[in-house]
């Protein structure tokens, strides 16, 4: 019989919470749970998601103990086996600033890429350090699973601060999202794909997608992606009416035509076509506004309806892509399944053109010992140059946080392909630091 695990979700007020609860329930037969705790400093926001989650669990898994708090760290973290971190430091209002400040200076406005991602990363580092220390105080042996954005910068900072902690790892569901989209295109299930993928978070490439019989489906998928008049609606796994998602899948098709031979992360649209992205952006209404007007409202309406009716029977909550991926990885780790997943890990020679301390996103074998990466084969000069440049700027961001060094922040911004211009980088540094003054007091001492 599999062990029953104690789980804590840090950031219980997230719009992804109900989906994660559903994912736990969907995998309960394989990943059994004794207790789920929520911890979030936003008491009001968490209470809504927590009370709805309590009703769902009471109806469908009454054997699971449930608890939530915004104050009692010891009770939340003590004796947990897995801690899942999903915080959004500053909330969606600060995400809006991350997107609109760069746009005001003619640069891409996006929450994890470019200047916005750098801003978000700087703002989050200190909070992540505090969370990890608190978890380690009360649960020294817990696995810490972080999927807080921007994962590239956060993972680099965590590895620097806790270099000997081998039970922290970082995840992003973006590669699975692309695999789901490609599976939709060819009428397959993404769980049947065995991928070859490498890069940095939000900055990588699929080089092969095998089926269980060992046949590489990539050539056939690329033919479909690059044919004339492809219906990008088939790729839209979000089934979203938000225009930004339609644009994302259209850009994926363009990138596969422009860079034949592999399938890049959808986030390369921001780095390789920044002028086009800026021209199509609305400085007054960005992706953050879309999320606030759509996903956030919908998820909290669902939670409030569950609370009001004291039942979840009339509300559709699903085990979403985000939650399912996390549970699949953790299940392989907890139950020693030895499955292959794409995870962010210390490089240590995995990608030969990057330093050992780089945090790379690659295929990993996952069992009780944690994720272990497969070495990446030879890559192109173009890909090497992109990766080395991106790693350099991410390292400078972390250095700037540790040393309160505005100059290193400017250099990071200037290296970023969505900015490039040094004078603009200087203006961005001033504006972003001022907006984040509450979280970055070290820059103002």
């Amino acid at each position: 019989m599999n062990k029953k695990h104690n789980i804590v979700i840090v950031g219980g007020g997230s719009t992804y919470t109900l989906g994660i609860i559903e994912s736990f329930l969907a995998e309960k037969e394989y990943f059994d749970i004794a207790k789920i705790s929520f911890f979030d400093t936003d008491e009001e926001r968490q209470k809504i998601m927590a009370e709805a989650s309590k009703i769902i669990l009471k109806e469908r898994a009454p054997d699971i103990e449930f608890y939530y708090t915004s104050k009692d760290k010891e009770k939340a973290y003590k004796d947990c086996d897995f801690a899942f971190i999903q915080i959004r430091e500053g909330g969606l209002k600060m995400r809006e600033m991350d997107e609109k400040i760069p746009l005001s200076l003619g640069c891409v406005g996006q929450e994890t890429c470019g200047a916005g991602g750098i801003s978000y990363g700087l703002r989050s580092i200190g909070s992540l350090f505090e969370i990890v220390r608190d978890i380690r105080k009360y649960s020294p042996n817990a696995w810490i699973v972080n999927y807080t954005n921007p994962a590239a910068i956060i993972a680099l900072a965590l590895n620097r601060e806790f270099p000997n902690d081998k039970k922290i790892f970082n995840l992003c569901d973006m590669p699975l999202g692309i695999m789901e989209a490609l599976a939709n295109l060819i009428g397959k299930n993404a769980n049947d794909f065995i991928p070859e993928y490498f890069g940095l978070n939000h900055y990588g490439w699929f080089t092969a997608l095998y089926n269980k019989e060992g046949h590489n489906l990539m050539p056939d998928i690329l033919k479909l992606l690059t044919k004339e008049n492809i219906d990008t609606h088939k790729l839209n796994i979000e089934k979203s009416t938000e225009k930004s998602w339609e644009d994302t899948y259209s850009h994926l098709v363009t990138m596969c035509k422009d860079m034949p031979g592999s399938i890049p992360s959808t986030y390369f649209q921001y780095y390789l076509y920044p002028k086009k992205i800026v021209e199509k952006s609305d400085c007054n209404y960005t992706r953050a506004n879309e999320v606030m007007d759509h996903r956030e409202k919908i998820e909290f309406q669902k939670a409030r309806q569950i609370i009001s009716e004291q039942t979840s029977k009339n509300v559709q909550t699903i085990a979403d892509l985000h939650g399912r991926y996390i549970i699949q990885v953790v299940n392989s780790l907890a139950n020693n399944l030895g499955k292959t997943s794409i995870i962010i890990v210390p490089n240590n020679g995995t990608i030969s053109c990057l330093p050992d301390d780089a945090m790379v996103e690659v295929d990993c074998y996952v069992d009780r010992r944690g994720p272990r990466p497969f070495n990446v084969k030879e890559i192109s000069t173009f890909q090497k140059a992109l990766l080395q440049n991106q790693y350099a700027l991410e390292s400078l961001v972390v250095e700037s946080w540790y040393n309160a060094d505005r100059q290193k922040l400017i250099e990071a911004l200037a290296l970023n392909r969505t900015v490039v211009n040094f004078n603009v980088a200087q203006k961005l540094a001033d504006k972003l630091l001022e907006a984040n003054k509450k979280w970055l007091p070290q820059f103002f001492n």
Side-chain angles (χ1 to χ4, degrees), residues 408-420:
K408 280 188 167 55
L409 175 57
I410 292 168
E411 290 168 359
L413 288 161
L415 280 176
N416 196 287
R417 288 185 56 86
T418 72
V419 180
V420 180

Side-chain angles (χ1 to χ4, degrees), residues 121-139:
L122 284 172
R123 186 168 67 247
S124 304
I125 289 172
S127 294
L128 263 294
F129 288 176
E130 180 182 349
I131 289 166
V132 170
R133 290 191 187 100
D134 287 337
I135 293 169
R136 283 290 171 255
K137 179 178 179 181
Y138 299 111
S139 292

